[in-house]
Amino acid sequence: MTKLEFLNLGKQPITNNFLKIQNPKNEFFYNLRIVFDDKTKLVSSAEFIPPEKMFNDTYAHRASMSITMQKAYKDLSIKIKERFNPKSVLEIGSNDGIFLKNFNEANAIGVEPCKNLADITNSMNIKTFDEYWTMALSKKIINQFGTFNLVYSANTISHIHDLNETFLAISEVLADKGVFILEDPSLLEVIRNTSYDQFYDEHAYVFSITAINNLVKKTDLEIFDVELLDTHGGSNRIYIKKKKNNIKISKNISKILHEEKENGINHFETYIKFANNVKKSKYELVEIFKTLKKSNKKIIGYGATYKSSTILNYCGLNNYFIDYFVDTTKNKQGKFTPGTHIPIIKPNDNIDDDIDYAYLGAWNFKKEIFSKEKKYINRGGKFITHVPSPQIL
Ligand code: TMP
C-alpha cells in the first residue's frame, strides 16, 4: 500500500451541483479524503467521483466570466504564437472558448465533455467534441485532423482519473515537433498558502512538478520548461515535448524540482504538517465568523466558487453565518450553494450598503474584486479570507 491518507475534509457535495431549491432531499455527499502516493509522489482524492456526476450539460463554470482570465488567455495566445507559431491547436477542456477564440477557428479543435459548453464553442465555429479525453477520442481526432502542433490544457488534466492513458493519448495526438502545455494548480503553493480549497470533487489530483515529471518519464514525453503563474492562487504552466524533439531544456526545471524537494514534496511528514495547518485554519476562520455574528455583523460571500464549497462544508459555514453569495455567473444566480444551502444572487454594481463583511470565495481574484469594490472599501466595508491564513482585510 503506497497511498497514505493525511487529510479528511469530511462530508462534501458535488461542487457543480448548485441547488434549485434550498433544502433538497437526497443531496449527494461523499467523504473527501486526501492521500499521498509515496511511490509516484502524486497527491489525490482517496475516492474518485464518477465524471458524469460532475461534468454534464448543466456545468456552471464559465471561464470567460473573469476579465482577469480573458486578458490572461489573450496574452498567453500571443506569447504562444511568438514562441511556437503553431499551425494547429487542440485544447482539452475548452470550456467556453476563452483560449481557443484567440486562434484561427479553422485550425482549432476543442474537447469539452460538458455539452452546454461544447455547444458554445461549436456555435463559434470551433469544432468541439463533447466527449471525455481518452485514447479512443485521441485516435478519432487523429483520423479526422491528423496530429497537432500545440495541445493545450488548463485546469483539466487534474480532473481526469486515468493519468497514464491521458498522457499516452496526448503523446499520440501531438506532432513530433509539437508542444503540449499543461496548467494546473501548484501543490507547492497549496502547501505554502494552506489553500486546502484546491481539494474538491473535480480535482482528483493536485500536481507537483515532481509528480508530473515521474508520470511523463513513463512515456515518450518530457518536460522542457515550467512557469509559476498567479492564476487560481498559484498554478504551474508546464511545457512538454517528445523526447526526440530537440527543444532546449530549461534550467527552471532542475531549479523547481530542487525547490519542491527542499519543501518536502517527496515526504509524507510534509502532508501531516499541512493537515495540521488546515485544522488550525478551520478553527481560526470559524472563530472570525462566530465573533462577527455575535456582534450582529452582516456577512455575505463574494464568488460562489467550487473551491469555496470545500471551505463552507468543512467549516460548517451555512446560511446562519453568510446571508447570501453574490456571483456574476448567470447559471449560479437564483440557486443555492451545494451542501450549505446559501442563496446566490446577481451582484449589484457594488456590495449593498447594509453589508459589513464579504467572505472572499473567489480569493484568487482579490485584485479584480478590490478594484471593483472601491466604494465598499471606502465606506469601511471589510473582506474575510482564509488565504494564506484566516484574516479580515
Ligand atoms: P473560479 O475561481 O472557479 O474561476 O470562479 C470564480 C467565480 O467567482 C465565478 O463564479 C465568478 C465569480 N466572480 C464574481 O462573482 N465576481 C468577480 O468579481 C469575480 C472576479 C468572480
Side-chain angles (χ1 to χ4, degrees):
M1 180 68 183
T2 52
K3 285 189 182 163
L4 307 165
E5 182 176 326
F6 61 91
L7 184 60
N8 187 340
L9 291 166
K11 238 176 66 169
Q12 295 284 343
I14 298 294
T15 49
N16 178 37
N17 188 23
F18 292 93
L19 306 166
K20 291 200 182 96
I21 53 169
Q22 192 159 22
N23 293 302
K25 285 189 188 120
N26 306 325
E27 194 178 357
F28 176 84
F29 285 96
Y30 70 101
N31 184 200
L32 177 56
R33 295 176 297 118
I34 315 297
V35 295
F36 170 67
D37 185 329
D38 65 0
K39 208 163 143 207
T40 61
K41 311 303 176 194
L42 270 168
V43 165
S44 68
S45 297
E47 178 193 345
F48 292 150
I49 304 301
E52 303 72 28
K53 273 200 182 305
M54 303 179 282
F55 310 113
N56 45 43
D57 58 5
T58 59
Y59 197 75
H61 178 70
R62 292 274 187 287
S64 296
M65 274 301 121
S66 156
I67 299 159
T68 312
M69 293 312 291
Q70 287 202 31
K71 186 176 178 313
Y73 281 109
K74 190 163 188 206
D75 292 350
L76 172 63
S77 67
I78 293 169
K79 199 169 123 170
I80 287 175
K81 284 175 198 167
E82 280 171 6
R83 189 168 171 189
F84 304 111
N85 192 23
K87 288 189 195 63
S88 53
V89 185
L90 173 73
E91 185 178 12
I92 304 169
S94 46
N95 197 274
D96 57 5
I98 188 168
F99 174 73
L100 282 183
K101 72 178 178 197
N102 298 297
F103 292 86
N104 181 344
E105 70 264 12
N107 308 318
I109 303 289
V111 172
E112 177 49 72
C114 305
K115 190 168 180 308
N116 58 330
L117 297 173
D119 285 350
I120 297 175
T121 42
N122 272 318
S123 73
M124 291 155 74
N125 287 328
I126 298 170
K127 167 74 189 158
T128 307
F129 291 83
D130 56 350
E131 293 180 45
Y132 294 103
W133 179 250
T134 59
M135 185 56 96
L137 178 60
S138 175
K139 287 194 191 304
K140 182 159 111 182
I141 291 176
I142 296 166
N143 280 339
Q144 286 185 40
F145 302 98
T147 55
F148 287 77
N149 301 113
L150 178 76
V151 178
Y152 178 75
S153 188
N155 304 301
T156 300
I157 303 299
S158 60
H159 299 181
I160 306 179
H161 301 163
D162 188 340
L163 293 175
N164 289 323
E165 179 179 353
T166 296
F167 279 97
L168 286 174
I170 288 167
S171 169
E172 289 275 314
V173 87
L174 191 66
D176 285 350
K177 296 271 176 207
V179 171
F180 167 41
I181 303 176
L182 155 63
E183 279 179 40
D184 264 304
S186 152
L187 180 62
L188 186 56
E189 294 304 304
V190 167
I191 292 172
R192 281 182 170 149
N193 293 315
T194 319
S195 45
Y196 61 98
D197 47 350
Q198 289 293 5
F199 295 110
Y200 57 89
D201 52 355
E202 292 184 5
H203 285 178
Y205 302 92
V206 176
F207 294 131
S208 61
I209 302 291
T210 305
I212 293 285
N213 197 35
N214 291 340
L215 271 164
V216 297
K217 263 193 215 157
K218 294 195 273 183
T219 68
D220 65 341
L221 302 171
E222 67 183 342
I223 302 177
F224 69 93
D225 206 355
V226 175
E227 287 165 19
L228 177 63
L229 315 171
D230 291 339
T231 37
H232 297 290
S235 297
N236 289 313
R237 178 176 291 149
I238 308 175
Y239 294 80
I240 294 173
K241 66 175 186 69
K242 294 214 167 157
K243 283 177 188 151
K244 61 182 167 198
N245 180 352
N246 54 8
I247 300 178
K248 205 170 148 230
I249 297 191
S250 161
K251 288 195 181 94
N252 284 344
I253 296 157
S254 49
K255 218 169 95 187
I256 187 134
L257 287 175
H258 179 74
E259 195 184 349
E260 287 191 349
K261 199 169 163 199
E262 290 283 291
N263 283 279
I265 283 282
N266 290 320
H267 298 291
F268 186 57
E269 296 73 53
T270 307
Y271 301 96
I272 296 286
K273 226 159 95 187
F274 168 73
N276 287 333
N277 290 341
V278 170
K279 284 173 209 150
K280 184 166 172 270
S281 175
K282 171 182 177 174
Y283 175 79
E284 290 175 3
L285 185 65
V286 172
E287 280 306 299
I288 289 177
F289 273 92
K290 279 185 180 162
T291 309
L292 294 177
K293 280 316 279 182
K294 254 186 220 152
S295 45
N296 289 322
K297 297 296 181 197
K298 234 172 135 52
I299 310 170
I300 61 159
Y302 205 107
T305 57
Y306 294 177
K307 290 194 294 291
S308 67
S309 183
T310 295
I311 306 292
L312 302 176
N313 284 282
Y314 178 60
C315 297
L317 297 172
N318 54 21
N319 207 185
Y320 166 75
F321 292 104
I322 298 174
D323 287 18
Y324 56 84
F325 262 85
V326 288
D327 198 294
T328 49
T329 304
K330 281 198 187 68
N331 48 359
K332 294 183 186 175
Q333 295 164 2
K335 296 192 178 150
F336 301 87
T337 57
T340 47
H341 308 168
I342 303 166
I344 304 167
I345 63 165
K346 184 178 175 211
N348 291 324
D349 288 344
N350 285 106
I351 295 174
D352 285 358
D353 289 343
D354 61 337
I355 302 304
D356 307 300
Y357 291 82
Y359 168 64
L360 282 172
W363 58 268
N364 46 314
F365 292 112
K366 192 169 92 181
K367 245 198 213 155
E368 184 173 333
I369 294 169
F370 278 28
S371 81
K372 231 190 259 181
E373 294 296 345
K374 280 201 188 93
K375 198 173 150 214
Y376 171 71
I377 294 169
N378 289 338
R379 71 158 172 83
K382 301 274 187 241
F383 289 93
I384 306 169
T385 186
H386 63 279
V387 180
S389 59
Q391 56 196 279
I392 290 169
L393 303 168

